[in-house]
Amino acid sequence: MASKLIVLLCCFAAVAVAVDKYTDQFDNLDIQEILDNKRLLRSYANCLLEKGKCTPEGKEMKEHIQDAIETACEKCTETQQEKTKVIFDHVVTHERGIWNEMTAKYDPKGTWRKKYEEKAKERGIVIPQD
């Protein structure tokens, strides 16, 4: 009887872990199109910075960005994790103004920047220290 209970609890735990992910509703969003279009990129940045209107995708990102930063995107789908790396690398490398604004809002003490610095270096990305 006890072993059946343990198996049942493990099943519930596995379901709870699987459910504790961000929605994959926007996983097919073409991030390269956004990154290649400065106006569109600025629009998404303004949403995240609470300086402009948000698309449904932007609202979803804004709702989870702080948690994703603090947990190394542990609730992200695999697709979201890969796209996050692409976005991060692009903004750090090509959009210093957006990078500075985002870090001022979401990482003002530089705590998370330090945490991700080594992973970025492995991909050839140097995180600005200013």
Side-chain angles (χ1 to χ4, degrees):
M1 180 68 168
S3 63
K4 287 182 183 178
L5 181 59
I6 291 171
V7 169
L8 186 60
L9 288 174
C10 288
C11 289
F12 282 131
V15 169
V17 168
V19 172
D20 199 22
K21 292 280 187 188
Y22 304 135
T23 181
D24 65 355
Q25 180 179 1
F26 302 111
D27 279 11
N28 292 326
L29 183 67
D30 185 350
I31 59 158
Q32 198 57 54
E33 178 184 3
I34 295 167
L35 296 175
D36 290 342
N37 182 324
K38 287 195 182 281
R39 185 185 55 78
L40 197 52
L41 178 60
R42 176 45 72 183
S43 178
Y44 275 96
N46 284 342
C47 164
L48 295 173
L49 294 165
E50 299 178 0
K51 293 172 142 186
K53 294 181 181 180
C54 294
T55 63
E57 302 90 351
K59 285 179 186 177
E60 187 70 27
M61 284 187 265
K62 187 167 74 170
E63 184 177 326
H64 300 294
I65 190 170
Q66 192 69 49
D67 181 65
I69 291 168
E70 293 175 8
T71 64
C73 217
E74 70 182 18
K75 295 178 188 173
C76 293
T77 65
E78 189 174 319
T79 299
Q80 291 163 353
Q81 289 176 357
E82 289 305 312
K83 288 183 177 188
T84 298
K85 289 177 193 172
V86 171
I87 294 166
F88 176 89
D89 292 355
H90 178 86
V91 171
V92 167
T93 304
H94 303 290
E95 302 291 343
R96 181 69 61 91
I98 291 174
W99 170 257
N100 290 338
E101 290 179 88
M102 297 295 283
T103 56
K105 177 167 181 62
Y106 292 104
D107 190 20
K109 295 180 182 177
T111 305
W112 308 110
R113 183 177 343 172
K114 291 174 191 163
K115 181 178 178 178
Y116 296 116
E117 203 163 21
E118 195 59 39
K119 289 180 182 181
K121 281 182 185 176
E122 290 172 8
R123 293 192 315 275
I125 305 297
V126 177
I127 298 176
Q129 297 300 315
D130 49 20

